Amino acid sequence: SRHRELDDTDRRPRRHGDSDSHHHRRHQHRPDDAGDQRDADRVQRDHRDRDARRREHHRHSQQRDEDQPRRRERSRSRSADRFDTRRERRGGGGGGRGRGRREHRQQQQRFEWGRPDQQRVKSETGEEPDEKKPPPPPKQMANMGLSGKLAEDTNMYKGVLIKYSEPANARMPKKRWRLYPFKGEEAMKPLYVHRQSGYLIGRDRKVADIPLDHPSISKQHAALQYRLVELEQPDGSKSRLVKPYIIDLESANGTYLNGERVEARRYIELKERDVLKFGYSSREYVVLSENAGEGEDRAAAAGGDDRVPPSDSDDSDIEPMAAAAASRHRQR
């Protein structure tokens, strides 16, 4: 009888005389994806472990090379100690070669481990020398002073932060001060600056009390401030007087008094017939008061100024003085 087997691949009956090539081709080994991935992971893990062992070995080798001089020195020190101990037990007194080794060891023990700039030399008795390092500078304490940040909200006007705040001795003047502007030889309308204690000068019309439109003038350029100061009289008594001052608010192009640029953030006293200029503007401002013809000493002796409320009086007798002052300034 003919023997017949059933093929698992194609369920075809296999005859006895058939070739095995078809059967082997159908049943050849197929790779297992999960198994190959596990093998690849194991190989990578082995490589990482090998690299880690190499790095650790290299680090230990470097550490051993760095510690070798120190270990050699400790070994020499222990050997010298044992040699001296044996000589002392024998009653040799530690002479000759042993004494040289002790001196060498004592010389080496004068220095501590560390960089040369950190080594401290000790005396033979083991005490530190008298010269000590300077004490470290004291630590900077917390600065509890006012930074001005909390005052920004209160120093806002029409949505603009004001760079200047009036001092504690700000007072309204009793003397009627005026600024007489000149553009070349042309006299312009005077500015009455006696109605308040301070005037902000600048290009920003929202906050400036005296607006100036020249492009070289900063938005908040300078301030005209009246301050109450004490004066000493010739007889030794003291009196108080309100005087005008100019202060530059760190402007880009500066404030000029009688042709010289004033220092920023510093009060400069103004006197009769002083000439002010701001930035590169050609306009000149002459400082005068209503009693410009009278002496300043007379005004101080009279108690500063009269007690009449400020008002605008006739300027016909003062304008020639202002023009003469501006002309003298231009000639200089």
Side-chain angles (χ1 to χ4, degrees):
S1 63
R2 183 176 294 178
H3 178 72
R4 302 179 62 182
E5 295 180 357
L6 189 64
D7 193 352
D8 294 334
T9 60
D10 52 2
R11 317 299 293 177
R12 180 178 61 84
R14 183 182 179 186
R15 296 178 177 82
H16 182 70
D18 291 343
S19 174
D20 295 335
S21 60
H22 176 75
H23 176 73
H24 289 297
R25 189 165 57 249
R26 301 284 294 188
H27 286 273
Q28 61 184 356
H29 176 69
R30 295 181 179 179
D32 186 3
D33 295 338
D36 293 346
Q37 185 64 31
R38 286 194 298 271
D39 295 340
D41 294 342
R42 183 173 62 256
V43 171
Q44 292 181 0
R45 188 167 55 254
D46 294 343
H47 289 178
R48 286 196 299 269
D49 296 343
R50 181 192 61 190
D51 296 339
R53 288 193 299 272
R54 287 180 179 178
R55 288 193 298 269
E56 187 71 11
H57 177 72
H58 182 66
R59 189 177 62 84
H60 282 296
S61 300
Q62 288 182 343
Q63 186 69 22
R64 184 168 58 253
D65 294 339
E66 293 175 358
D67 295 344
Q68 187 174 4
R70 189 178 300 180
R71 290 198 306 269
R72 187 183 299 112
E73 186 63 29
R74 286 200 295 264
S75 176
R76 290 176 181 176
S77 178
R78 286 195 296 267
S79 300
D81 292 340
R82 288 194 297 268
F83 179 79
D84 295 339
T85 303
R86 287 196 299 268
R87 289 186 65 85
E88 290 175 359
R89 288 178 181 177
R90 294 173 186 175
R97 211 173 150 188
R99 183 171 62 249
R101 290 185 176 182
R102 279 200 307 274
E103 293 177 355
H104 177 71
R105 185 174 68 255
Q106 292 176 359
Q107 185 73 13
Q108 292 293 330
Q109 288 179 353
R110 294 179 61 192
F111 298 93
E112 295 183 355
W113 292 107
R115 296 196 304 269
D117 56 342
Q118 296 179 348
Q119 292 178 353
R120 293 178 301 173
V121 181
K122 294 185 179 181
S123 61
E124 296 182 358
T125 58
E127 298 179 357
E128 294 185 358
D130 296 337
E131 297 181 0
K132 295 183 179 180
K133 293 183 179 180
K139 294 183 178 180
Q140 186 177 3
M141 305 301 292
N143 185 6
M144 306 302 293
L146 299 178
S147 62
K149 293 296 183 183
L150 297 178
E152 288 187 357
D153 296 337
T154 60
N155 211 24
M156 297 285 292
Y157 181 71
K158 294 183 180 180
V160 180
L161 176 63
I162 306 300
K163 296 168 56 177
Y164 175 73
S165 298
E166 288 190 323
N169 59 350
R171 298 290 188 277
M172 285 187 60
K174 298 179 178 64
K175 184 184 292 188
R176 301 185 185 96
W177 289 93
R178 301 176 180 114
L179 294 179
Y180 291 87
F182 289 86
K183 188 174 183 180
E185 298 292 340
E186 180 185 357
M188 308 181 71
K189 185 179 180 180
L191 303 176
Y192 300 94
V193 288
H194 60 268
R195 296 187 177 95
Q196 57 192 44
S197 59
Y199 290 84
L200 183 61
I201 304 171
R203 191 163 41 87
D204 192 351
R205 289 183 171 270
K206 289 183 178 180
V207 295
D209 300 310
I210 303 178
L212 304 178
D213 298 329
H214 198 272
S216 65
I217 296 177
S218 302
K219 292 183 178 180
Q220 299 181 37
H221 194 98
L224 176 64
Q225 181 66 57
Y226 295 99
R227 302 172 63 193
L228 181 64
V229 295
E230 290 186 355
L231 296 178
E232 187 174 356
Q233 302 297 334
D235 57 355
S237 61
K238 293 183 179 180
S239 62
R240 293 183 177 182
L241 184 64
V242 178
K243 290 188 175 184
Y245 292 84
I246 190 70
I247 180 173
D248 183 78
L249 303 179
E250 298 178 346
S251 60
N253 298 313
T255 302
Y256 296 86
L257 175 62
N258 297 328
E260 297 182 0
R261 183 166 181 171
V262 301
E263 184 178 352
R265 290 290 178 181
R266 182 178 179 183
Y267 287 105
I268 305 297
E269 182 182 354
L270 297 178
K271 298 181 179 180
E272 299 279 355
R273 299 179 178 85
D274 280 345
V275 180
L276 290 172
K277 287 187 67 177
F278 303 99
Y280 300 140
S281 175
S282 60
R283 294 188 181 183
E284 300 173 341
Y285 298 84
V286 182
V287 182
L288 286 175
S289 64
E290 62 177 356
N291 54 352
E294 301 178 4
E296 195 168 319
D297 297 337
R298 179 181 174 185
D305 306 303
D306 49 11
R307 304 291 177 174
V308 181
S311 62
D312 301 338
S313 59
D314 187 16
D315 299 326
S316 58
D317 56 341
I318 305 179
E319 288 182 0
M321 297 182 185
S327 177
R328 285 195 302 269
H329 175 67
R330 284 192 295 272
Q331 290 177 2
R332 284 186 294 179

